[in-house]
Every structure is written in C-alpha cells, then in structure tokens.
Amino acid sequence: MSKDVIIACDFQSAAEVFDFLDLFPEEKPFLKIGMELFYAEGPQIVREIKTRGHRIFLDLKLHDIPNTVEKAMRVLSALDVDIVNVHAAGTRRMMEAARNGLTRPDGSRPLLIAVTQLTSTDEESLHRELLISESMDDTVMRYAENAAAAGLDGVVCSPLEAGKVHDRCGKSFLTVTPGVRFAEGDAGDQKRVTTPAEARELGSDYIVIGRPVTRSDDPLAAYRRCVKEFLG
Ligand code: C5P
C-alpha cells in the first residue's frame, strides 16, 4: 500500500458525512470512521461510504479476550474495510487472534494496526494509575514490537515516533500518524503536532487529519493542500 492522507470523519450522523463528501467532486479520499459515527449509524454507514468508492480505516480500537476479538474481526472483514485496529495492550495473543479473524473468502484481508499508548495518556498516569514503570517512549516501542511479533501490519503513533518505529520494526511496518496541522494552524487539543511535510520527512506512511480539513472554510482546498504537502 502506498502513502496517503486519511481524513478523520468525526461527524455525528450519516447526513453530515454525506454533505461533507459531496464537497469532493473528483477525489475519493481515504476516510477514517471512528466509534462516534459507527455507533450512531451502524455498519450500514460503512457499506454506503464503500459504495461511493472510498477506502476506509475503521477505527474501533478493539480490546477484549482473544476469542471475542477474533470473532469481531471476522464480522468486520465482511464489511470490506481497508484498515482496522486493536489496542496493543490486549497482548500478543489477542493481536494474533485479531489477525486470525481477518479472513475473507477471496483470500484478501484488511490491514491490521495497533494503538500503542493513547496520546491522552501521560507519563504520570502511566506510572501512577497503570503502574507501568517504564518510560512512555519505551512502552510505545515495546508495544510496537509486540504488534510486529504478532503479525500486525503497523501501529498508530505520532509522526515524531515514526522513524524509531521503523528502525525497531522494519521499514514496511506501517506508521499511521494523527496529530497533523498546517504550519499556521491552531493545534487545538493535539499536543505534539507536525505539518504534513514534516510527517513525510519523518517517515509517516499514512497521516490522519481531521479538523484542519473538516472544519475548514474550504475542505476541498485544505485536503488538496495536505495531499500536496505530504505526497510532494
Ligand atoms: O481533528 P484531528 O486532526 O485532531 O483528528 C485526529 C483524529 O485522529 C481523531 O479522530 C482522533 O481521535 C484520532 N487520534 C488521535 N491521536 C491518537 C489516536 C487517534 O488524534 N493517538
């Protein structure tokens, strides 16, 4: 799979998503659908967006016992999505089960990536609440290595971690990176941000960008700018 820009479709209803997608007359952007939209509209929203010709990263971050995750992945495979994900904290066995669940009659399967540590978890909660004594950086890298050992295709991480993840897990191990902002843009609640061009230089394979595109006065222009900066 080649590098690309993924738009985070953080909308609350199908109507809002379709109004947004109508702004793209030529392109068929790669889209990320998260829990909010999926739980509001159900699997049908995925099928409808697929019918329009978009690739989809279904960001549901599964985390349960291996048997349950394997069966859930079997269901998600049938939705014909392109990327799905789990929490690496579910352990290697759970990630292997997730991978086993991804089967389709034609032999294809979605890419499977892992969330390492959520960016909302800070070092303090890592040590004091979760009782993980290692540093955030070491934890993220170890989780990435666990994901690679379990046969996953990559991880969600910061563009700032992409190079190190590639060094540890191999160049073909995908880094899917949120936290992207235009140079003059407002970072909002994202703490460690990079521009699309910086993300490219740091080795990100896919950048995930939401509000700078979805809340722009001109989403099409913002998306095209992001693609141009990231893909060169
Ligand atoms: O609007 P914004 O560009 O911040 O959207 C980024 C998207 O990536 C959101 O859907 C957010 O939930 C997701 N995400 C993130 N940081 C992570 C994992 C996912 O921002 N570590």
Coordinates of all heavy atoms in Angstrom, one line a residue, residues 4-8 30-32 57 83 176 206-210 223:
D4 N -0.5 7.8 2.0 CA -1.7 8.6 1.6 C -2.2 9.4 2.9 O -1.7 9.2 4.0 CB -2.9 7.6 1.2 CG -3.8 8.3 0.2 OD1 -3.8 9.5 0.1 OD2 -4.6 7.6 -0.5
V5 N -3.1 10.3 2.6 CA -3.7 11.1 3.6 C -5.1 10.5 3.9 O -5.9 10.2 3.0 CB -3.9 12.6 3.0 CG1 -4.8 13.4 4.0 CG2 -2.6 13.2 2.8
I6 N -5.4 10.4 5.2 CA -6.7 9.8 5.7 C -7.4 10.9 6.4 O -6.9 11.5 7.3 CB -6.5 8.6 6.6 CG1 -5.7 7.5 5.9 CG2 -7.8 8.1 7.1 CD1 -5.4 6.3 6.8
I7 N -8.6 11.2 6.0 CA -9.4 12.2 6.6 C -10.2 11.6 7.8 O -10.9 10.6 7.6 CB -10.4 12.9 5.7 CG1 -9.7 13.6 4.5 CG2 -11.2 14.0 6.4 CD1 -10.7 14.2 3.5
A8 N -10.1 12.1 9.0 CA -10.9 11.6 10.1 C -12.3 12.2 10.0 O -12.5 13.4 10.2 CB -10.2 12.1 11.4
F30 N -9.3 8.8 1.3 CA -9.3 7.7 2.2 C -9.9 8.2 3.5 O -9.5 9.3 3.9 CB -7.8 7.3 2.5 CG -7.6 5.9 3.0 CD1 -6.5 5.1 2.5 CD2 -8.3 5.3 4.0 CE1 -6.3 3.8 2.9 CE2 -8.1 4.1 4.5 CZ -7.1 3.3 3.9
L31 N -10.8 7.5 4.1 CA -11.5 8.1 5.3 C -11.3 7.3 6.5 O -11.3 6.0 6.4 CB -13.0 8.2 5.0 CG -13.4 8.9 3.7 CD1 -14.9 8.8 3.5 CD2 -13.1 10.4 3.8
K32 N -11.3 7.9 7.7 CA -11.3 7.2 9.0 C -12.7 7.4 9.6 O -13.2 8.5 9.8 CB -10.2 7.8 9.9 CG -10.2 7.0 11.2 CD -9.0 7.4 12.1 CE -9.3 8.6 13.0 NZ -10.2 8.4 14.1
F57 N -10.6 3.4 6.9 CA -9.9 2.9 8.1 C -11.0 2.9 9.2 O -11.4 4.0 9.6 CB -8.7 3.8 8.4 CG -8.1 3.7 9.8 CD1 -8.3 2.6 10.6 CD2 -7.3 4.8 10.3 CE1 -7.7 2.5 11.9 CE2 -6.7 4.7 11.6 CZ -6.9 3.6 12.4
I83 N -8.5 -0.8 6.6 CA -7.7 -0.9 7.8 C -8.6 -1.0 9.1 O -9.6 -0.3 9.1 CB -6.8 0.4 8.0 CG1 -6.0 0.7 6.7 CG2 -5.9 0.2 9.2 CD1 -5.1 1.9 6.9
V176 N 0.9 4.9 11.1 CA -0.3 5.7 10.8 C -0.4 6.8 11.8 O -0.5 6.5 13.0 CB -1.6 4.8 10.8 CG1 -2.9 5.6 10.5 CG2 -1.4 3.7 9.8
Y206 N 1.0 6.9 6.6 CA -0.4 7.5 6.4 C -0.5 8.6 7.5 O -0.2 8.4 8.6 CB -1.5 6.5 6.7 CG -1.6 5.4 5.6 CD1 -0.9 4.2 5.7 CD2 -2.4 5.6 4.5 CE1 -1.0 3.2 4.7 CE2 -2.5 4.6 3.5 CZ -1.8 3.5 3.6 OH -1.9 2.5 2.7
I207 N -0.9 9.8 7.0 CA -1.3 10.8 8.1 C -2.8 10.8 8.2 O -3.5 10.7 7.2 CB -0.7 12.2 7.8 CG1 -1.1 12.7 6.4 CG2 0.8 12.2 8.0 CD1 -0.7 14.1 6.1
V208 N -3.2 11.0 9.4 CA -4.7 11.1 9.7 C -4.9 12.6 10.1 O -4.3 13.1 11.1 CB -5.1 10.2 10.9 CG1 -6.6 10.4 11.2 CG2 -4.9 8.7 10.6
I209 N -5.8 13.2 9.3 CA -6.0 14.7 9.6 C -7.6 14.9 9.7 O -8.3 14.4 8.8 CB -5.4 15.6 8.6 CG1 -5.5 17.1 9.0 CG2 -5.9 15.4 7.2 CD1 -4.5 18.0 8.3
G210 N -8.0 15.5 10.8 CA -9.4 15.8 10.9 C -9.8 17.2 10.8 O -10.0 17.7 9.7
Y223 N -7.8 19.8 1.9 CA -7.4 18.4 1.7 C -6.4 18.3 0.6 O -5.3 17.7 0.7 CB -8.7 17.6 1.2 CG -8.3 16.2 0.7 CD1 -7.9 15.2 1.6 CD2 -8.4 15.9 -0.6 CE1 -7.5 13.9 1.1 CE2 -8.1 14.6 -1.1 CZ -7.6 13.6 -0.2 OH -7.3 12.4 -0.7

